[in-house]
Amino acid sequence: MSTLLIALAAAVHAVGQETVPVRPLLLEAEAFDHLGGWVLDQQFMDLMGSPFLLAHGMGQPVADATREVEVEHPGPHRVWVRTRDWVAPWGVEGAPGRFQVLVDGEPLQVTFGTEGEPWHWQDGGVVELATRATVALHDLTGFEGRCDA
């Protein structure tokens, strides 16, 4: 099984009776083909080492950010998304920065931006990928969803 880190990443890919190392496929959000209504934010570069995408819609969900991906090893991939719940430091409920990741138009079962005060890799489950895929960040709230990779 491979791993999709929105990062899409992987350890091994089964080929017959042997396993073949698979290079991680890292999708940096700031390098998406189309940012839609998401904006590039650089405020945490000193802490994270990179900018991230921010869904700043002032309460109105923004248009999807999208990226076309070529998949070296079709099959199951585990998805990891680097994000955070930006209101967690204050103990606020409801996670206003919620968003989904869509793969070929289908949302993953996990809603992102809902756990953890620090930036971390949130597990998005497993998806089946063909040789090409469209990955999208779908804002649910318009209140500062954050996605790094």
Side-chain angles (χ1 to χ4, degrees):
M1 172 168 21
S2 301
T3 302
L4 170 72
L5 295 173
I6 279 231
L8 298 170
V12 294
H13 177 73
V15 178
Q17 298 287 42
E18 40 181 302
T19 57
V20 178
V22 177
R23 290 188 306 265
L25 175 54
L26 176 66
L27 302 179
E28 298 258 16
E30 67 270 15
F32 269 36
D33 299 324
H34 304 284
L35 298 185
W38 294 69
V39 296
L40 186 65
D41 195 312
Q42 301 173 359
Q43 69 178 319
F44 294 113
M45 284 185 64
D46 58 329
L47 301 173
M48 299 170 45
S50 72
F52 61 94
L53 290 187
L54 178 71
H56 181 63
M58 298 188 60
Q60 298 297 316
V62 302
D64 294 355
T66 61
R67 168 98 188 252
E68 297 291 323
V69 181
E70 289 190 32
V71 180
E72 184 178 353
H73 296 283
H77 289 67
R78 176 155 301 277
V79 179
W80 295 95
V81 178
R82 190 169 186 220
T83 187
R84 68 184 290 241
D85 175 359
W86 68 273
V87 298
W90 300 281
V92 176
E93 294 184 23
R98 296 182 312 278
F99 65 97
Q100 295 173 309
V101 172
L102 310 179
V103 177
D104 291 330
E106 293 296 320
L108 302 182
Q109 291 184 349
V110 175
T111 299
F112 298 94
T114 60
E115 64 180 42
E117 177 180 337
W119 285 94
H120 67 287
W121 292 101
Q122 187 172 348
D123 187 350
V126 176
V127 297
E128 190 74 28
L129 295 179
T131 58
R132 296 190 58 79
T134 300
V135 177
L137 301 179
H138 180 71
D139 178 31
L140 295 173
T141 67
F143 285 117
E144 316 301 335
R146 290 163 162 81
C147 184
D148 173 45

